[in-house]
Amino acid sequence: MRNPMAKKATGLLQKALATAQKKGASAGRLSLHHSQSIGCLFENGRLKKADTEQRVSVSVELVVDGREGRSSCNSLEDLDEVVERALSLAKAGSAVHFDAYPPPAALTPVKTHSQRTAALSRQSMIESSQKIVDAIRKYDPELFIEAGAGRQESEGVLVTSGGVCHRAEHSAWQLDAWVQRTEGTDMLFSDFGRSWKDLNEFYDPDVIIEHILEDLRNARQVAPAPTGPATALLSPDMLATLLAPAQMGINGRYVAKGDSPLRGRLGERILDPCFTIVDDPHLDYCNGAGQISDDGIPTRKMAIVDGGVLKTFLYDLDSAAMAAAEPTGHNNCSPHSIDVAPGRRPSEELLASIGDGIYIKQLMGFGQSNIINGDFSSNVALGYRIRNGEIVGRVKNTMVAGNVYELLKDKVHLSSDKDPVRRMPYAVLEGIQVSAAEQK
Amino acid sequence: MKDRLSQALSKSKADYTEIRFERDDSSAIAYWGEEIENVSSHKHSGGIVRACTKGGWGLATFDSLDDLAHSVAEACECAALVGREKTQLAETPVVDEVRPAKLVRDFRGVSFDEKLDLVTRYNDIVLHTDPAIETSHVWYADSFRTVHFASSRGSYFCEERPRVVLYYVAVARDGALVQRATDGVASAVSYDAAVGAEQRVAETARRAAALLKAPACQGGSTTVVLDQELAGVFAHEAFGHLSEADHLYENPKMRELMHLGREMGGKQLDIIDHGAMPGMIGTQAFDDEGMPTGKTYLVKEGVLVGHLHSLETAAKMGGRPTGNARAISRAYEPIVRMTNTYIENGDLSFDELLAGVDDGIYACGSMGGETMMEMFTFSARYGYRIRGGKVGELVRDVVLTGNVFETLRAIDGFGDDLQIMQLPGGCGKGGQSPLPVTFGSPHLRIRDVVIGGK
């Protein structure tokens, strides 16, 4: 990295914490995050933009007399001022429910920074993006194509009044493409992308190309949507979307505050028995990999759902204290890196097993409903009709609705093949409500 | 600052270069249920350099002005790497202005205790108005953003952009059924916009409780009457994004689809974007390329007559720059965005609109919307069944979708009661969210809108 600052920041943050404690803070955590990235973007199939970004953020949270004030800035030169702000705000701040930040504990080794990612050149990224553009343009020269890549390095420092002083380095790359086909007023959008921390075999333009081309091939014709309750095949991305309400439901703060519909249901079967869901931040280089939470608590691999049964909620330090539970090392009570165990049959077989249904790849407006309850009613942004086990065309002007807890409770099948980056399989479920406008 | 930016620009070798440096000071108070959830204050500064050489763009962000020279060099290097054609940017007037904010009541002069009392009072109202209310979310935030801009064309401006936001949510529960009701307000001119909302807060709480007993809206195609807020969101999502020229200028088929002169709807349909409307949260004196903002007709008497432009899209499409290049913060480049977007008034009263509906839905308020150009979707906060031209029972879970082109033509009734909404939240595009915008409309009646549901 150019001008790394973690070493200098560590001393400054520790000094600032000590000053805050002398001025009455009983607990505190201070952190710095510094990132640098480069990228490129192709627009309409032509190299259009290259960028260099750098960002610094400094965060201060201080507890005075059981109340917390927060302040942030993006320069270490403002550190003293934000400490004063946090101290002042704490007088009327949010009540904290824990007594102290925990002392340092043993951390599980996990790799988060890759030299080969750091060495990924802009020229390589341009070549990868160009390859994607050329392949898609060869399929259909009239498509509007965007493609791009980026890589990032970051360093972070965390200092807490519990005695934690932790430095970490991360790297990441992204490679993605977005395509629009326009015929009169008919528009088709397809996109696919990947990211990871290590420049491994996942960095593969051919995979991006194939996902997009598959969408384009499947969408050559328009087919009427089924209506009423239907069988749906979900792509890995779509399954992740439908699991989002459950992620809110296991959020320890929502549980402690009484908002979660899963409160009081540990040990109950909430999903189909085919679901075993793990939060695993210890897979080297995965998105979300990390050793320690923002509270200074070691992360761990945890079973969230086992055979459909809810095993745990996710807690940060404060929400754990509210709930009289053990903190689980989760920032904002959210998972680090969800991994859904595969099923028994490959996705091709699952598709072939559907006599009449819908294959949903993307929804529009999913989060606009009463989502924490699991209710949704969304437009099918990209979906296909399935008849006799085959995709027969794209559906349009179609909405799907339901409750994710009801839909994922029974009669769900997961594929044996998974998206290795998203760590999700395909899924088939029954009973999603489909409504469609008349085709004109 | 002007001299510092100008000096940095003088080192640029690009065809065109601009620097935007911003300072932003903000604070927030939030309740969740009985307890304060968050009290925070933030101070940030930094900016972005954009350079264009032979039509290719280079960007470099920085946090410290000490990095300015390096960032100019980086941006120029990036632009030189990608440029292969000719730089095409529309001409702009050279500006040299300082625009301080004009605040009726400056929130920086309001004590923290007064703000806390206000939020606490509203939170108490949410929690205690109805026994069915289980919890609350009440959130107050303010920010004071100072934007310095300079370009290689010799332009400079400094503009202050303040904002106050109040947002409240009532959550009601009956067994496993949970319903939320939301409302709020935003202002660029006065802290007092957040004051005196007690009645609206109480109404919101009562509505959450009432929604528990309301049936879910039935799915299918129906006639809808939209209130001004939801109709405004419709204008924004269903049409506004299609008028943003950066969706069009490099896409020949989209340019053909959205060509000027295309019939978009009936003769009563006028849609306007106005970036210079006094006192609105979507208003700026200058956009983030230094272009003065103004009023742009997008649709006039049903015909597409304008697009929203940046300097590049205007040059490439032969249009005039409209002052719609906006960036949400110091860390982002400007892209084409809406400002204050509305459908112009019609001539029917609300009762006259309803009279034309035998069986339909009156959809009110907005919980968000989204578009994929051809299709749009948005959620109402709540709705009512319309039966025989009269507003009937309350319904919940009103989510609407439609084809943009068909739905604009399906508007067959324009109310005479235009309102422009200044609400919390904002518009999302290209990872820049939420950008402050307003949207507005009179009541509208639209045929054949698809509603999701069972």
Side-chain angles (χ1 to χ4, degrees):
Chain A
M1 287 182 82
R2 189 176 78 88
N3 297 336
M5 52 177 68
K7 201 169 167 187
K8 173 184 168 191
T10 303
L12 291 172
L13 294 178
Q14 286 175 317
K15 189 172 161 206
L17 177 58
T19 302
Q21 286 170 310
K22 283 191 194 119
K23 292 188 177 187
S26 58
R29 68 178 182 192
L30 287 74
S31 62
L32 170 130
H33 188 257
H34 173 213
S35 67
Q36 292 173 359
S37 62
I38 63 171
C40 68
L41 176 71
F42 280 68
E43 190 177 53
N44 194 22
R46 302 197 309 278
L47 181 57
K48 187 67 187 281
K49 184 172 75 177
D51 58 43
T52 302
E53 282 189 10
Q54 75 136 7
R55 302 194 192 194
V56 174
S57 69
V58 178
S59 174
V60 173
E61 292 168 39
L62 299 172
V63 179
V64 178
D65 295 330
R67 294 196 168 272
E68 183 179 71
R70 299 174 187 164
S71 188
S72 74
C73 60
N74 65 323
S75 168
L76 286 168
E77 290 178 12
D78 293 326
L79 182 54
D80 290 343
E81 181 181 342
V82 300
V83 165
E84 291 300 324
R85 288 190 186 197
L87 284 169
S88 172
L89 289 169
K91 295 188 189 81
S94 49
V96 296
H97 304 86
F98 59 91
D99 295 324
Y101 283 100
L107 303 176
T108 303
V110 57
K111 293 177 185 161
T112 57
H113 183 274
S114 157
Q115 276 304 328
R116 51 187 186 177
T117 301
L120 177 60
S121 70
R122 200 195 302 276
Q123 188 55 40
S124 293
M125 291 190 278
I126 289 173
E127 286 166 9
S128 304
S129 305
Q130 184 75 66
K131 183 178 182 185
I132 293 171
V133 163
D134 290 345
I136 296 174
R137 187 184 275 154
K138 189 175 172 191
Y139 174 82
D140 183 348
E142 303 219 330
L143 292 170
F144 180 83
I145 305 166
E146 283 192 359
R151 67 113 166 110
Q152 181 192 80
E153 280 189 274
S154 67
E155 52 180 354
V157 180
L158 172 69
V159 164
T160 77
S161 53
V164 167
C165 177
H166 181 78
R167 299 218 298 244
E169 290 181 352
H170 290 257
S171 60
W173 56 262
Q174 306 89 38
L175 182 64
D176 43 53
W178 181 88
V179 159
Q180 180 180 345
R181 189 188 72 195
T182 308
E183 300 290 340
T185 61
D186 177 66
M187 294 177 209
L188 169 71
F189 300 92
S190 170
D191 64 270
F192 191 75
R194 275 186 160 175
S195 63
W196 202 249
K197 292 184 185 289
D198 179 41
L199 196 68
N200 60 0
E201 69 275 13
F202 294 160
Y203 185 91
D204 186 350
D206 288 334
V207 170
I208 311 279
I209 293 163
E210 189 42 43
H211 271 267
I212 303 259
L213 292 185
E214 185 187 62
D215 281 346
L216 295 172
R217 284 191 291 261
N218 286 336
R220 269 193 290 252
Q221 294 180 91
V222 173
T227 49
T231 302
L233 171 68
L234 308 178
S235 66
D237 271 337
M238 204 55 247
L239 177 59
T241 298
L242 249 62
L243 285 173
Q247 284 199 26
M248 291 174 74
I250 61 172
N251 180 306
R253 199 151 192 91
Y254 282 105
V255 172
K257 289 278 194 178
D259 286 19
S260 167
L262 300 180
R263 177 174 163 148
R265 298 182 64 190
L266 283 177
E268 272 186 41
R269 187 170 77 76
I270 61 160
L271 299 176
D272 188 279
C274 72
F275 278 104
T276 291
I277 302 174
V278 163
D279 182 44
D280 179 14
H282 295 161
L283 176 66
D284 286 339
Y285 303 119
C286 76
N287 298 316
Q291 291 184 284
I292 196 169
S293 76
D294 294 343
D295 292 324
I297 295 169
T299 59
R300 44 184 148 129
K301 187 172 172 179
M302 295 178 65
I304 298 175
V305 169
D306 189 2
V309 174
L310 181 62
K311 305 300 283 184
T312 188
F313 297 123
L314 306 183
Y315 290 108
D316 62 13
L317 187 65
D318 192 65
S319 59
M322 287 173 72
E326 279 300 306
T328 56
H330 287 92
N331 302 329
N332 299 312
C333 307
S334 296
H336 297 284
S337 182
I338 288 285
D339 188 325
V340 175
R344 293 200 195 102
R345 296 153 70 193
S347 51
E348 293 86 3
E349 265 189 45
L350 292 182
L351 170 63
S353 72
I354 298 173
D356 190 6
I358 184 169
Y359 173 30
I360 305 175
K361 286 209 74 179
Q362 191 180 352
L363 294 178
M364 183 168 60
F366 181 74
Q368 292 170 22
S369 317
N370 196 6
I371 203 68
I372 191 165
N373 230 35
D375 295 324
F376 70 94
S377 181
S378 305
N379 187 296
V380 178
L382 183 60
Y384 306 95
R385 182 70 178 269
I386 301 170
R387 278 200 174 117
N388 301 319
E390 290 188 353
I391 292 170
V392 297
R394 175 180 160 220
V395 299
K396 295 193 62 175
N397 300 333
T398 301
M399 291 197 79
V400 291
N403 178 286
V404 301
Y405 290 110
E406 290 171 14
L407 289 169
L408 298 178
K409 182 86 185 281
D410 294 293
K411 297 183 190 170
V412 179
H413 302 279
L414 300 178
S415 66
S416 52
D417 47 312
K418 286 172 58 167
D419 183 309
V421 170
R422 290 152 176 76
R423 306 174 84 178
M424 289 274 163
Y426 292 77
V428 171
L429 52 80
E430 308 280 341
I432 197 166
Q433 288 288 340
V434 184
S435 53
E438 283 181 21
Q439 302 296 324
K440 289 186 179 141
Chain B
M1 180 65 67
K2 177 182 167 184
D3 290 341
R4 192 164 184 179
L5 299 184
S6 297
Q7 208 209 0
L9 284 168
S10 67
K11 305 284 190 273
S12 167
K13 298 179 175 57
D15 297 338
Y16 169 84
T17 315
E18 67 186 33
I19 302 172
R20 180 166 34 88
F21 175 77
E22 300 190 19
R23 289 197 172 93
D24 186 5
D25 213 304
S26 62
S27 67
I29 302 170
Y31 266 94
W32 184 350
E34 299 279 0
E35 292 186 325
I36 292 177
E37 178 69 10
N38 172 43
V39 166
S40 59
S41 166
H42 311 282
K43 175 181 172 170
H44 296 97
S45 63
I48 185 167
V49 181
R50 284 203 314 161
C52 190
T53 294
K54 292 186 182 173
W57 286 95
L59 312 179
T61 65
F62 58 94
D63 284 289
S64 166
L65 284 167
D66 292 341
D67 288 332
L68 191 49
H70 176 83
S71 297
V72 170
E74 286 253 6
C76 290
E77 195 182 310
C78 286
L81 176 70
V82 309
R84 299 274 188 283
E85 300 169 359
K86 184 182 161 205
T87 294
Q88 294 180 72
L89 298 171
E91 291 302 316
T92 47
V94 175
V95 302
D96 186 358
E97 291 196 41
V98 175
R99 292 286 189 108
K102 290 179 190 157
L103 286 160
V104 172
R105 188 169 174 211
D106 190 338
F107 52 81
R108 293 173 297 174
V110 178
S111 71
F112 173 80
D113 285 341
E114 185 176 340
K115 294 174 188 174
L116 180 61
D117 281 346
L118 184 78
V119 180
T120 303
R121 193 158 66 246
Y122 291 153
N123 193 57
D124 285 344
I125 292 172
V126 172
L127 288 174
H128 301 116
T129 293
D130 191 290
I133 298 300
E134 180 182 60
T135 193
S136 63
H137 298 271
V138 179
W139 182 62
Y140 167 88
D142 53 46
S143 69
F144 198 94
R145 197 173 150 212
T146 305
V147 179
H148 297 267
F149 171 90
S151 77
S152 53
R153 291 177 170 182
S155 274
Y156 169 79
F157 74 76
C158 169
E159 184 174 6
E160 293 177 340
R161 298 175 185 166
R163 189 168 174 232
V164 169
V165 170
L166 172 71
Y167 183 61
Y168 37 92
V169 181
V171 182
R173 180 186 286 274
D174 180 7
L177 179 61
V178 173
Q179 287 295 309
R180 295 158 61 97
T182 68
D183 202 358
V185 67
S187 172
V189 299
S190 182
Y191 171 78
D192 285 338
V195 174
E198 285 82 355
Q199 197 172 344
R200 277 183 76 142
V201 175
E203 278 167 15
T204 302
R206 281 193 287 269
R207 189 166 69 242
L211 285 169
L212 287 174
K213 299 185 181 63
C217 194
Q218 248 187 332
S221 181
T222 191
T223 298
V224 296
V225 172
L226 307 182
D227 79 348
Q228 297 100 323
E229 182 180 328
L230 194 55
V233 169
F234 166 67
H236 178 102
E237 294 295 350
F239 175 76
H241 282 294
L242 262 182
S243 70
E244 292 166 340
D246 56 356
H247 290 303
L248 314 179
Y249 81 124
E250 293 277 15
N251 189 331
K253 293 211 170 184
M254 287 298 291
R255 285 177 70 160
E256 190 185 314
L257 179 66
M258 294 298 289
H259 67 270
L260 298 181
R262 183 196 174 97
E263 246 185 61
M264 300 299 298
K267 279 204 168 327
Q268 276 198 297
L269 181 64
D270 287 354
I271 305 179
I272 290 147
D273 183 270
H274 193 342
M277 283 182 91
M280 306 300 271
I281 56 169
T283 293
Q284 298 170 197
F286 306 100
D287 78 358
D288 295 318
E289 290 183 319
M291 180 69 196
T293 57
K295 182 175 180 177
T296 302
Y297 268 91
L298 299 172
V299 174
K300 202 161 189 175
E301 296 179 3
V303 176
L304 183 65
V305 297
H307 301 117
L308 301 178
H309 282 296
S310 65
L311 297 186
E312 187 175 26
T313 65
K316 289 189 171 179
M317 289 181 67
R320 62 167 185 89
T322 54
N324 285 85
R326 303 176 67 192
I328 197 171
S329 78
R330 71 192 188 283
Y332 293 94
E333 59 174 327
I335 56 178
V336 180
R337 307 300 297 266
M338 288 174 265
T339 60
N340 307 296
T341 314
Y342 59 94
I343 294 177
E344 195 55 279
N345 247 336
D347 54 12
L348 293 178
S349 69
F350 179 57
D351 288 337
E352 284 171 323
L353 286 173
L354 288 179
V357 184
D358 195 45
D359 183 6
I361 296 290
Y362 173 37
C364 304
S366 169
M367 270 175 50
E370 208 175 318
T371 184
M372 288 184 82
M373 299 300 135
E374 180 196 359
M375 301 298 298
F376 66 89
T377 182
F378 45 83
S379 299
R381 292 193 213 269
Y382 56 98
Y384 298 94
R385 193 80 184 265
I386 302 173
R387 295 180 195 276
K390 303 279 182 218
V391 174
E393 70 275 22
L394 184 70
V395 292
R396 60 179 168 87
D397 301 336
V398 182
V399 182
L400 305 99
T401 189
N403 176 286
V404 167
F405 302 94
E406 289 168 15
T407 306
L408 283 171
R409 281 195 291 273
I411 305 173
D412 74 351
F414 293 78
D416 60 4
D417 50 7
L418 166 65
Q419 276 187 31
I420 297 181
M421 308 295 163
Q422 302 208 80
L423 296 174
C427 175
K429 175 181 170 182
Q432 298 194 35
S433 178
L435 183 76
V437 294
T438 70
F439 39 79
S441 176
H443 277 91
L444 296 180
R445 184 178 62 215
I446 313 178
R447 306 283 176 190
D448 299 327
V449 178
V450 173
I451 293 188
K454 296 183 183 172

